[in-house]
Amino acid sequence: MKATRVLIRGLVQGVGYRYFAERTARHLGLRGFVRNLPDGRVEAVAAGDEDDVAAFIATLRQGPAAGRVDGLETGDATLEDTVIRFEIRH
């Protein structure tokens, strides 16, 4: 199981980006979370099969139709065992 942290910048708040990420992650069977950051970026942490995590990241690069992704950073992450599904955090 691979866990990855993704930081997304651009027009990613107020455009449904977190819901877009949640739907994508749940469709892929990933667990983790997505949340807005105070600096205007969105953070997502996803864990699952390496191919599914890669597909998730590729989809995050596209973003929802109302948004715009200007950049994306990825890195390794750890995820608590208590996180059993993918959720939006506030």
Side-chain angles (χ1 to χ4, degrees), residues 3-14:
T4 300
R5 178 179 187 231
V6 186
L7 295 172
I8 306 101
R9 64 181 170 79
L11 179 59
V12 293
Q13 290 191 15

Side-chain angles (χ1 to χ4, degrees), residues 2-8 17-35 42-63 72 74 86-87:
K2 179 174 180 63
T4 300
R5 178 179 187 231
V6 186
L7 295 172
I8 306 101
Y17 195 95
R18 290 176 300 157
Y19 300 98
F20 170 82
E22 178 191 36
R23 279 191 311 275
T24 301
R26 287 188 175 186
H27 174 75
L28 292 167
L30 301 176
R31 59 188 189 94
F33 65 89
V34 62
R35 66 180 168 188
V42 168
E43 175 188 35
V45 176
D49 177 76
E50 191 168 344
D51 290 340
D52 292 332
V53 172
F56 179 64
I57 293 168
T59 303
L60 291 182
R61 285 185 196 281
Q62 300 303 311
L72 190 138
T74 63
F86 200 91
E87 61 191 28

Side-chain angles (χ1 to χ4, degrees), residues 75-87:
D76 291 337
T78 57
L79 193 62
E80 306 89 25
D81 289 336
T82 56
V83 178
I84 58 172
R85 64 185 184 104
F86 200 91
E87 61 191 28

